[in-house]
Amino acid sequence: MNKSIQISADFDGGNIKVINSSSPNNIELEINKDHKSDFFQWFYFRVTSKKNTSHTLKILNAGSSAYVPGWEEYQAVCSYDRKNWFRVETSFNGKELEINHTPKQDSFYLSYFTPFSHERHLDLIAQSQSSEICSLKSLGKSFDGKDIDLLRIEKDTNKLNVWMIARQHPGETMAEWFVEGFLKRLLDSTDSLSTKVLAQANFYVIPNMNPDGAFRGHLRTNAKGINLNREWENPSLETGPEVFYTRAEMDKVGVDLFLDIHGDENLPYNFVAGSEGNISYNEQIANTERIFKESFLKATSEFQTEFGYELDKPGEANMTVATNAIAHRFNCMSYTLEMPFKDNNNLPSKEFGWSAQRSQLLGRDMLSPISAVLDHLEK
Ligand code: ZN
């Protein structure tokens, strides 16, 4: 093996296995499965080699990953400083993902999407509390001993309770970038819309539901290989303490609006998915959904309603999914928001694709539809 090329992923969120790194023109890699699971798609690693040299990296097992269509029209993200991430030439032949890049520095990082580190998560939790209306409640510990952090933005007199959770699927890092943008606006005392909604509702925000999976470099599961978004019908401390603690707190506080933030591997659009398959779905929830969507469309051209998941048929909802379970339990509007790993094809950016920055801005802009829903619920 040529020692001049080194590839490492032994850091927060890292994931890659080196098969062959003898030549810059044929670096062969595999993505590791999530621990105790068959899911894999998330990768994040550093290459140390020679600048101004053309590199070809192949992910050999891409064709058997969790979401194979996710590689079509997909471009990997690259960074030198782990702050600025840009897209690099990537192609998929149905079997292998090939990434081509001629680095300007000896060492560079490649990832499935812009990472959101545990350190950044801790900073977000700490900085949010510089607002005097925001407090931290640690709901409990994960299997790896990490805190399940809930930010509470409360004023005693409020009756409505808005919940937002993100990163049940840890590889969907855009979800925490989104929450960062959302909180920045919500806690900005000079923002008039924030002032308005904070007079109407308390907010309960969990920026990272799955800190173990995030740190371990998983796509979809926690430390025991469990998909948290299939745990909501009967949450258990044995398999998903993250969901168990969260739902227990929801029972204490109450939920009037629930938003679950995700990323979708396949579809190059932002979209929402609701609880229309629930037996308890009703006209009131349908109305609230309409108000939310209309307001979101006005607030940002990054949102659209043409492309999305097929609607569940009445009575056919999967009740293990958070959105359906919470809508049913609290008789409230619940939405899953999906952002793309690829790009928003209505407003494509060749250089950056969908990005951390755009996720933050979408989080900022979601305050408008939340405000519209609160006005409606107060009536
Ligand atoms: Zn997801």
Side-chain angles (χ1 to χ4, degrees):
M1 188 174 282
N2 184 341
K3 288 216 175 89
S4 67
I5 300 174
Q6 288 149 11
I7 294 173
S8 56
D10 189 16
F11 44 77
D12 176 356
N15 182 341
I16 207 67
K17 184 163 133 190
V18 180
I19 304 298
N20 169 20
S21 62
S22 53
S23 147
N25 286 319
N26 186 34
I27 299 171
E28 295 181 314
L29 307 164
E30 283 186 357
I31 302 172
N32 296 302
K33 289 177 177 179
D34 292 3
H35 185 61
K36 293 187 175 173
S37 148
D38 283 330
F39 289 114
F40 68 91
Q41 190 113 4
W42 172 263
F43 61 88
Y44 175 26
F45 55 91
R46 188 179 76 183
V47 181
T48 306
S49 182
K50 208 168 185 318
K51 63 183 169 189
N52 303 323
T53 305
S54 140
H55 285 70
T56 298
L57 303 100
K58 287 178 187 159
I59 296 180
L60 303 179
N61 62 348
S64 52
S65 69
Y67 300 96
V68 176
W71 303 123
E72 287 160 15
E73 310 285 317
Y74 166 79
Q75 309 290 301
V77 299
C78 180
S79 178
Y80 298 109
D81 58 8
R82 298 191 303 150
K83 290 190 179 75
N84 300 296
W85 292 83
F86 51 92
R87 300 277 172 167
V88 288
E89 189 193 324
T90 306
S91 60
F92 181 59
N93 63 9
K95 207 166 160 258
E96 296 166 355
L97 188 79
E98 184 175 308
I99 302 167
N100 289 290
H101 184 51
T102 303
K104 291 183 186 146
Q105 298 182 14
D106 286 342
S107 127
F108 59 101
Y109 290 83
L110 288 167
S111 186
Y112 186 32
F113 194 81
T114 303
F116 194 108
S117 69
H118 189 63
E119 286 299 310
R120 192 172 182 109
H121 166 79
L122 295 177
D123 285 345
L124 173 62
I125 296 296
Q127 284 157 10
S128 298
Q129 293 168 83
S130 66
S131 160
E132 59 184 21
I133 55 167
C134 180
S135 64
L136 171 66
K137 181 169 184 182
S138 181
L139 297 177
K141 296 277 187 199
S142 67
F143 291 118
D144 288 344
K146 292 195 166 56
D147 295 310
I148 314 299
D149 289 333
L150 167 72
L151 290 172
R152 304 185 298 186
I153 300 114
E154 294 173 315
K155 288 187 176 171
D156 295 341
T157 50
N158 290 325
K159 291 199 177 66
L160 294 170
N161 297 304
V162 178
W163 280 78
M164 179 184 287
I165 67 170
R167 286 188 93 180
Q168 288 202 78
H169 298 142
E172 296 162 9
T173 53
M174 61 286 281
E176 196 161 3
W177 290 108
F178 175 100
V179 169
E180 198 179 84
F182 175 76
L183 285 171
K184 191 173 172 204
R185 182 172 191 188
L186 187 67
L187 299 174
D188 177 356
S189 59
T190 64
D191 189 297
S192 58
L193 191 63
S194 295
T195 306
K196 175 199 165 282
V197 299
L198 288 169
Q200 294 172 296
N202 297 321
F203 286 77
Y204 300 87
V205 180
I206 302 182
N208 188 353
M209 280 289 289
N210 196 338
D212 290 355
F215 195 82
R216 284 166 174 257
H218 286 187
L219 173 73
R220 209 161 162 82
T221 73
N222 70 2
K224 284 206 175 169
I226 298 295
N227 176 356
L228 295 182
N229 206 21
R230 298 293 181 274
E231 284 285 296
W232 290 81
E233 192 164 31
N234 289 304
S236 151
L237 278 176
E238 303 296 307
T239 50
E242 302 90 342
V243 173
F244 183 91
Y245 294 131
T246 299
R247 204 190 69 173
E249 189 69 14
M250 287 174 160
D251 283 349
K252 263 192 237 164
V253 168
V255 186
D256 298 290
L257 172 63
F258 175 62
L259 299 159
D260 185 9
I261 314 301
H262 287 252
D264 184 87
E265 291 78 1
N266 302 339
L267 288 174
Y269 298 99
N270 292 297
F271 58 98
V272 287
S275 62
E276 70 286 336
N278 282 5
I279 41 168
S280 52
Y281 189 72
N282 56 45
E283 198 48 40
Q284 158 67 12
I285 293 177
N287 264 333
T288 313
E289 287 181 349
R290 270 194 291 275
I291 287 161
F292 183 97
K293 282 192 282 195
E294 275 169 25
S295 171
F296 208 5
L297 285 169
K298 272 189 215 150
T300 170
S301 41
E302 297 279 24
F303 181 64
Q304 57 80 49
T305 54
E306 190 183 349
F307 303 96
Y309 298 145
E310 244 179 70
L311 294 182
D312 286 337
K313 295 199 180 72
E316 290 187 5
N318 181 344
M319 299 311 290
T320 66
V321 171
T323 290
N324 296 334
I326 298 308
H328 181 71
R329 194 173 184 84
F330 297 94
N331 188 30
C332 67
M333 195 206 107
S334 294
Y335 261 152
T336 305
L337 173 78
E338 297 283 356
M339 285 172 279
F341 276 87
K342 298 172 182 173
D343 203 346
N344 171 7
N345 277 8
N346 287 337
L347 292 166
S349 159
K350 200 173 174 342
E351 196 177 352
F352 299 108
W354 188 251
S355 63
Q357 289 76 9
R358 292 170 84 181
S359 305
Q360 289 173 320
L361 292 175
L362 193 67
R364 178 197 70 181
D365 290 339
M366 202 199 248
L367 201 62
S368 294
I370 290 173
S371 165
V373 165
L374 294 174
D375 289 347
H376 172 69
L377 294 178
E378 273 191 336
K379 274 184 200 154

